[in-house]
Amino acid sequence: MKIAIDFDSVLSDTMISWVKRYNQRFGKSITKETHILKWEFWDDLDISDKIAFDIFDEVWTEWSKLPPTETNLKEKIENLSTYGQIDVVTEIKEKHILNVKYWLKEHGIPYNDLV
């Protein structure tokens, strides 16, 4: 059996870093919990898709600063892997795929394939 696990916001808490970067760039003080409520959350922030994805690009470039979504993530994924093959899925830009691999290795996340 294959088990697909998304990278962004399932393994890596990308939005914590995204919000921090947004606040720095625009002098705001939004929070993930109160402002990131749907996928196209940037519409509510009155910024374009391009700006939103430029910020994602910056965040993915600084992959080592992306925190895991929860404690003991390595152990949880290892436990899950006893039920099937772990595939990490992402829609990240091709130029950041290596960064995702570095992040997974740094956090000891076992996986069979990166899709």
Side-chain angles (χ1 to χ4, degrees):
M1 171 188 351
K2 286 192 175 195
I3 303 167
I5 302 175
D6 194 13
F7 178 73
D8 287 304
S9 299
V10 175
L11 295 174
S12 157
D13 200 344
T14 308
M15 293 316 301
I16 292 287
S17 297
W18 192 97
V19 165
K20 182 178 179 182
R21 178 67 63 154
Y22 171 86
N23 286 338
Q24 290 170 342
R25 182 183 282 196
F26 293 103
K28 303 286 185 176
S29 57
I30 70 166
T31 65
K32 174 184 154 186
E33 295 75 23
T34 58
H35 294 87
I36 311 301
L37 305 174
K38 62 182 183 181
W39 169 238
E40 292 181 342
F41 60 87
W42 50 86
D43 291 341
D44 297 335
L45 300 175
D46 201 28
I47 62 171
S48 68
D49 293 3
K50 182 182 180 334
I51 291 171
F53 281 94
D54 284 350
I55 296 172
F56 276 118
D57 195 50
E58 293 169 17
V59 165
W60 290 324
T61 297
E62 296 181 344
W63 64 270
S64 63
K65 295 181 182 179
L66 296 173
T69 53
E70 54 188 274
T71 58
N72 302 319
L73 188 60
K74 173 187 174 190
E75 291 80 10
K76 291 173 183 176
I77 301 302
E78 285 174 345
N79 184 41
L80 191 59
S81 72
T82 64
Y83 297 99
Q85 176 180 318
I86 301 293
D87 288 349
V88 175
V89 297
T90 184
E91 198 172 326
I92 204 165
K93 289 181 179 179
E94 185 69 30
K95 70 181 183 177
H96 296 300
I97 292 296
L98 196 54
N99 294 346
V100 171
K101 290 179 180 180
Y102 290 151
W103 189 94
L104 293 166
K105 182 176 182 179
E106 182 174 294
H107 292 279
I109 306 299
Y111 68 98
N112 296 87
D113 199 9
L114 179 61
V115 181

mmCIF file of all heavy atoms in Angstrom, residues 69-92:
data_model
loop_
_atom_site.group_PDB
_atom_site.id
_atom_site.type_symbol
_atom_site.label_atom_id
_atom_site.label_comp_id
_atom_site.label_asym_id
_atom_site.label_seq_id
_atom_site.Cartn_x
_atom_site.Cartn_y
_atom_site.Cartn_z
ATOM 1 N N THR A 69 5.631 20.244 11.460
ATOM 2 C CA THR A 69 4.280 20.592 11.901
ATOM 3 C C THR A 69 3.993 20.152 13.326
ATOM 4 O O THR A 69 3.098 20.690 13.970
ATOM 5 C CB THR A 69 3.218 19.965 10.989
ATOM 6 O OG1 THR A 69 3.467 18.566 10.895
ATOM 7 C CG2 THR A 69 3.230 20.615 9.621
ATOM 8 N N GLU A 70 4.743 19.163 13.814
ATOM 9 C CA GLU A 70 4.500 18.676 15.167
ATOM 10 C C GLU A 70 5.743 17.998 15.716
ATOM 11 O O GLU A 70 6.662 17.677 14.967
ATOM 12 C CB GLU A 70 3.309 17.733 15.204
ATOM 13 C CG GLU A 70 3.375 16.578 14.231
ATOM 14 C CD GLU A 70 2.075 15.812 14.201
ATOM 15 O OE1 GLU A 70 1.924 14.908 15.048
ATOM 16 O OE2 GLU A 70 1.233 16.112 13.347
ATOM 17 N N THR A 71 5.738 17.786 17.022
ATOM 18 C CA THR A 71 6.866 17.123 17.668
ATOM 19 C C THR A 71 6.847 15.635 17.339
ATOM 20 O O THR A 71 5.804 15.076 16.997
ATOM 21 C CB THR A 71 6.813 17.312 19.192
ATOM 22 O OG1 THR A 71 5.573 16.791 19.681
ATOM 23 C CG2 THR A 71 6.942 18.770 19.585
ATOM 24 N N ASN A 72 8.012 15.028 17.430
ATOM 25 C CA ASN A 72 8.165 13.587 17.183
ATOM 26 C C ASN A 72 7.673 13.173 15.798
ATOM 27 O O ASN A 72 7.194 12.052 15.623
ATOM 28 C CB ASN A 72 7.457 12.768 18.260
ATOM 29 C CG ASN A 72 7.978 13.081 19.646
ATOM 30 O OD1 ASN A 72 9.185 13.240 19.841
ATOM 31 N ND2 ASN A 72 7.088 13.190 20.599
ATOM 32 N N LEU A 73 7.798 14.050 14.826
ATOM 33 C CA LEU A 73 7.308 13.761 13.482
ATOM 34 C C LEU A 73 8.028 12.547 12.880
ATOM 35 O O LEU A 73 7.395 11.690 12.265
ATOM 36 C CB LEU A 73 7.460 14.990 12.586
ATOM 37 C CG LEU A 73 6.823 14.925 11.220
ATOM 38 C CD1 LEU A 73 5.316 14.712 11.340
ATOM 39 C CD2 LEU A 73 7.110 16.197 10.435
ATOM 40 N N LYS A 74 9.321 12.467 13.084
ATOM 41 C CA LYS A 74 10.094 11.336 12.551
ATOM 42 C C LYS A 74 9.510 10.013 13.040
ATOM 43 O O LYS A 74 9.248 9.106 12.244
ATOM 44 C CB LYS A 74 11.552 11.452 12.972
ATOM 45 C CG LYS A 74 12.386 10.251 12.600
ATOM 46 C CD LYS A 74 13.780 10.345 13.182
ATOM 47 C CE LYS A 74 14.533 9.050 12.908
ATOM 48 N NZ LYS A 74 15.783 8.974 13.630
ATOM 49 N N GLU A 75 9.282 9.912 14.320
ATOM 50 C CA GLU A 75 8.761 8.679 14.898
ATOM 51 C C GLU A 75 7.358 8.369 14.384
ATOM 52 O O GLU A 75 7.018 7.208 14.132
ATOM 53 C CB GLU A 75 8.768 8.761 16.422
ATOM 54 C CG GLU A 75 10.166 8.768 17.030
ATOM 55 C CD GLU A 75 10.861 10.127 16.981
ATOM 56 O OE1 GLU A 75 10.216 11.159 16.643
ATOM 57 O OE2 GLU A 75 12.087 10.162 17.246
ATOM 58 N N LYS A 76 6.560 9.386 14.210
ATOM 59 C CA LYS A 76 5.194 9.185 13.727
ATOM 60 C C LYS A 76 5.196 8.661 12.288
ATOM 61 O O LYS A 76 4.422 7.775 11.939
ATOM 62 C CB LYS A 76 4.397 10.483 13.848
ATOM 63 C CG LYS A 76 4.132 10.848 15.293
ATOM 64 C CD LYS A 76 3.508 12.211 15.430
ATOM 65 C CE LYS A 76 3.333 12.551 16.904
ATOM 66 N NZ LYS A 76 2.819 13.899 17.107
ATOM 67 N N ILE A 77 6.072 9.218 11.454
ATOM 68 C CA ILE A 77 6.153 8.767 10.066
ATOM 69 C C ILE A 77 6.755 7.361 10.010
ATOM 70 O O ILE A 77 6.324 6.525 9.210
ATOM 71 C CB ILE A 77 6.935 9.765 9.195
ATOM 72 C CG1 ILE A 77 6.279 11.151 9.224
ATOM 73 C CG2 ILE A 77 7.051 9.250 7.761
ATOM 74 C CD1 ILE A 77 4.838 11.194 8.765
ATOM 75 N N GLU A 78 7.739 7.095 10.851
ATOM 76 C CA GLU A 78 8.299 5.736 10.913
ATOM 77 C C GLU A 78 7.210 4.727 11.274
ATOM 78 O O GLU A 78 7.129 3.652 10.675
ATOM 79 C CB GLU A 78 9.436 5.669 11.930
ATOM 80 C CG GLU A 78 10.718 6.301 11.442
ATOM 81 C CD GLU A 78 11.798 6.372 12.509
ATOM 82 O OE1 GLU A 78 11.500 6.205 13.717
ATOM 83 O OE2 GLU A 78 12.960 6.604 12.129
ATOM 84 N N ASN A 79 6.381 5.073 12.240
ATOM 85 C CA ASN A 79 5.277 4.193 12.633
ATOM 86 C C ASN A 79 4.312 4.000 11.460
ATOM 87 O O ASN A 79 3.882 2.880 11.172
ATOM 88 C CB ASN A 79 4.560 4.754 13.847
ATOM 89 C CG ASN A 79 3.478 3.837 14.361
ATOM 90 O OD1 ASN A 79 3.653 2.620 14.409
ATOM 91 N ND2 ASN A 79 2.359 4.407 14.741
ATOM 92 N N LEU A 80 3.978 5.074 10.794
ATOM 93 C CA LEU A 80 3.077 5.008 9.648
ATOM 94 C C LEU A 80 3.666 4.140 8.534
ATOM 95 O O LEU A 80 2.939 3.422 7.842
ATOM 96 C CB LEU A 80 2.791 6.429 9.145
ATOM 97 C CG LEU A 80 1.696 6.616 8.124
ATOM 98 C CD1 LEU A 80 0.355 6.105 8.655
ATOM 99 C CD2 LEU A 80 1.579 8.083 7.753
ATOM 100 N N SER A 81 4.975 4.179 8.391
ATOM 101 C CA SER A 81 5.633 3.428 7.311
ATOM 102 C C SER A 81 5.517 1.914 7.512
ATOM 103 O O SER A 81 5.737 1.153 6.572
ATOM 104 C CB SER A 81 7.093 3.835 7.162
ATOM 105 O OG SER A 81 7.866 3.343 8.240
ATOM 106 N N THR A 82 5.141 1.467 8.702
ATOM 107 C CA THR A 82 4.938 0.027 8.909
ATOM 108 C C THR A 82 3.667 -0.449 8.206
ATOM 109 O O THR A 82 3.469 -1.646 8.034
ATOM 110 C CB THR A 82 4.861 -0.334 10.409
ATOM 111 O OG1 THR A 82 3.726 0.291 10.995
ATOM 112 C CG2 THR A 82 6.135 0.081 11.139
ATOM 113 N N TYR A 83 2.814 0.492 7.785
ATOM 114 C CA TYR A 83 1.560 0.154 7.103
ATOM 115 C C TYR A 83 1.664 0.224 5.586
ATOM 116 O O TYR A 83 0.770 -0.220 4.885
ATOM 117 C CB TYR A 83 0.430 1.078 7.576
ATOM 118 C CG TYR A 83 0.128 0.916 9.032
ATOM 119 C CD1 TYR A 83 0.651 1.801 9.964
ATOM 120 C CD2 TYR A 83 -0.664 -0.135 9.478
ATOM 121 C CE1 TYR A 83 0.381 1.638 11.311
ATOM 122 C CE2 TYR A 83 -0.931 -0.299 10.831
ATOM 123 C CZ TYR A 83 -0.405 0.598 11.744
ATOM 124 O OH TYR A 83 -0.664 0.433 13.078
ATOM 125 N N GLY A 84 2.741 0.835 5.079
ATOM 126 C CA GLY A 84 2.885 0.939 3.632
ATOM 127 C C GLY A 84 4.029 1.833 3.231
ATOM 128 O O GLY A 84 4.744 2.388 4.069
ATOM 129 N N GLN A 85 4.196 1.987 1.940
ATOM 130 C CA GLN A 85 5.250 2.823 1.364
ATOM 131 C C GLN A 85 4.887 4.288 1.520
ATOM 132 O O GLN A 85 3.797 4.710 1.128
ATOM 133 C CB GLN A 85 5.411 2.480 -0.115
ATOM 134 C CG GLN A 85 6.413 3.354 -0.833
ATOM 135 C CD GLN A 85 6.555 3.004 -2.291
ATOM 136 O OE1 GLN A 85 6.603 1.834 -2.644
ATOM 137 N NE2 GLN A 85 6.617 4.025 -3.142
ATOM 138 N N ILE A 86 5.797 5.075 2.057
ATOM 139 C CA ILE A 86 5.572 6.512 2.242
ATOM 140 C C ILE A 86 6.073 7.266 1.010
ATOM 141 O O ILE A 86 7.252 7.172 0.648
ATOM 142 C CB ILE A 86 6.316 7.040 3.487
ATOM 143 C CG1 ILE A 86 5.868 6.303 4.751
ATOM 144 C CG2 ILE A 86 6.128 8.551 3.617
ATOM 145 C CD1 ILE A 86 4.444 6.541 5.165
ATOM 146 N N ASP A 87 5.175 7.984 0.366
ATOM 147 C CA ASP A 87 5.533 8.898 -0.716
ATOM 148 C C ASP A 87 5.218 10.313 -0.259
ATOM 149 O O ASP A 87 4.109 10.590 0.206
ATOM 150 C CB ASP A 87 4.739 8.595 -1.994
ATOM 151 C CG ASP A 87 5.181 7.310 -2.669
ATOM 152 O OD1 ASP A 87 6.226 6.753 -2.282
ATOM 153 O OD2 ASP A 87 4.479 6.859 -3.583
ATOM 154 N N VAL A 88 6.200 11.195 -0.336
ATOM 155 C CA VAL A 88 5.996 12.600 -0.017
ATOM 156 C C VAL A 88 5.592 13.291 -1.310
ATOM 157 O O VAL A 88 6.247 13.133 -2.337
ATOM 158 C CB VAL A 88 7.270 13.228 0.580
ATOM 159 C CG1 VAL A 88 7.087 14.725 0.791
ATOM 160 C CG2 VAL A 88 7.636 12.532 1.892
ATOM 161 N N VAL A 89 4.503 14.041 -1.256
ATOM 162 C CA VAL A 89 4.017 14.753 -2.440
ATOM 163 C C VAL A 89 4.114 16.250 -2.208
ATOM 164 O O VAL A 89 3.995 16.730 -1.087
ATOM 165 C CB VAL A 89 2.562 14.343 -2.799
ATOM 166 C CG1 VAL A 89 2.495 12.881 -3.168
ATOM 167 C CG2 VAL A 89 1.606 14.644 -1.668
ATOM 168 N N THR A 90 4.351 16.966 -3.293
ATOM 169 C CA THR A 90 4.464 18.415 -3.213
ATOM 170 C C THR A 90 4.232 19.032 -4.580
ATOM 171 O O THR A 90 4.435 18.379 -5.605
ATOM 172 C CB THR A 90 5.846 18.842 -2.669
ATOM 173 O OG1 THR A 90 5.874 20.268 -2.512
ATOM 174 C CG2 THR A 90 6.968 18.412 -3.580
ATOM 175 N N GLU A 91 3.809 20.263 -4.572
ATOM 176 C CA GLU A 91 3.678 21.012 -5.822
ATOM 177 C C GLU A 91 4.691 22.161 -5.830
ATOM 178 O O GLU A 91 4.506 23.164 -6.494
ATOM 179 C CB GLU A 91 2.252 21.545 -5.985
ATOM 180 C CG GLU A 91 1.967 21.938 -7.408
ATOM 181 C CD GLU A 91 0.514 22.280 -7.666
ATOM 182 O OE1 GLU A 91 -0.367 21.680 -7.046
ATOM 183 O OE2 GLU A 91 0.271 23.159 -8.509
ATOM 184 N N ILE A 92 5.751 21.951 -5.108
ATOM 185 C CA ILE A 92 6.795 22.947 -4.982
ATOM 186 C C ILE A 92 7.508 23.123 -6.339
ATOM 187 O O ILE A 92 7.523 22.194 -7.144
ATOM 188 C CB ILE A 92 7.779 22.501 -3.872
ATOM 189 C CG1 ILE A 92 8.532 23.670 -3.274
ATOM 190 C CG2 ILE A 92 8.721 21.444 -4.363
ATOM 191 C CD1 ILE A 92 9.213 23.316 -1.968
#
